C-alpha cells in the first residue's frame, strides 16, 4: 500500500526584480503525518543555497485553491483561473510562488486516495506521538 506521495511540479518564483524564474518543486505527503503536506525547493532556488522544505496544513492547501487562506507563515490564494499563489513568510523575507492549480488538484487527489479528507485522525499514531513528546529534547 502506498503511504508516501511525491510529485514534481514547476513553480514560478516571484521576486522583487522583474525577472520571474521557474523552479522545480517537490510536493510530498506522508500518511504518517496525515494533516500535513511538504513543499521542497531545490538548493539553487534558495538564498542559503541548500534545499529548503516547508511543511504546512493539507487543509490550508485545499482551501487556498478556492479562496485566500492562511494568516501565518504560509498563505495560499487563487491567482487566476489557472494558477495559485503560495506565500512563505520567514524572518529573511517573503517568497511568493505561483503554481498550476491543476497540478495542485492532481496532487491533492492522489493524497485523498491514501487518506480521505476528514479521516486524517484515523491515521495518527498516538502512541508514537506521545512517546516522542514524553522523551523531550534530544
Amino acid at each position: 500500500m502506498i503511504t508516501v506521495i511525491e510529485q514534481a511540479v514547476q513553480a514560478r518564483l516571484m521576486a522583487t526584480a522583474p525577472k520571474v524564474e521557474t523552479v522545480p518543486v517537490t510536493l510530498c505527503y506522508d500518511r504518517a503525518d496525515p494533516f500535513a503536506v511538504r513543499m521542497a525547493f531545490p538548493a539553487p532556488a534558495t538564498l542559503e543555497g541548500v534545499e529548503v522544505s516547508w511543511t504546512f496544513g493539507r487543509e490550508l492547501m485545499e482551501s487556498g485553491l478556492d479562496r485566500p487562506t492562511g494568516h501565518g507563515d504560509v498563505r495560499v490564494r487563487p491567482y487566476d483561473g489557472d494558477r495559485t499563489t503560495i506565500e512563505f513568510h520567514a524572518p529573511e523575507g517573503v517568497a511568493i510562488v505561483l503554481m498550476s492549480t491543476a497540478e495542485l488538484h492532481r496532487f491533492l487527489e492522489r493524497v485523498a486516495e491514501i487518506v480521505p479528507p476528514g479521516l486524517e485522525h484515523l491515521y495518527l499514531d498516538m502512541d508514537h506521538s506521545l512517546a516522542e513528546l514524553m522523551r523531550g529534547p534530544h
Side-chain angles (χ1 to χ4, degrees):
M1 170 176 273
I2 295 174
T3 61
V4 175
I5 293 175
E6 286 193 358
Q7 180 173 318
V9 297
Q10 291 294 312
R12 291 206 176 271
L13 186 60
M14 307 299 288
T16 53
K19 182 181 176 187
V20 177
E21 192 173 316
T22 300
V23 296
V25 173
T26 302
L27 299 172
C28 185
Y29 180 81
D30 186 343
R31 188 172 71 179
D33 190 4
F35 289 101
V37 294
R38 185 172 54 88
M39 189 175 292
F41 295 88
T46 69
L47 293 174
E48 298 83 14
V50 296
E51 182 180 289
V52 173
S53 291
W54 284 77
T55 301
F56 55 97
R58 168 185 175 176
E59 186 176 353
L60 177 69
M61 179 183 278
E62 291 168 345
S63 298
L65 298 181
D66 298 319
R67 63 185 180 284
T69 306
H71 301 286
D73 295 342
V74 180
R75 301 169 191 179
V76 184
R77 62 183 158 78
Y79 181 76
D80 59 21
D82 298 326
R83 296 175 291 178
T84 297
T85 299
I86 303 178
E87 296 178 13
F88 299 96
H89 295 252
E92 300 82 17
V94 177
I96 301 172
V97 180
L98 276 178
M99 301 183 73
S100 163
T101 302
E103 288 288 339
L104 295 175
H105 273 295
R106 190 169 9 266
F107 173 72
L108 291 169
E109 286 169 4
R110 294 177 64 206
V111 166
E113 290 175 7
I114 62 170
V115 177
L119 299 180
E120 295 90 350
H121 65 284
L122 299 176
Y123 295 86
L124 289 176
D125 183 350
M126 294 304 286
D127 292 333
H128 175 74
S129 298
L130 185 57
E132 288 290 313
L133 182 64
M134 298 304 287
R135 187 167 31 157
H138 297 99

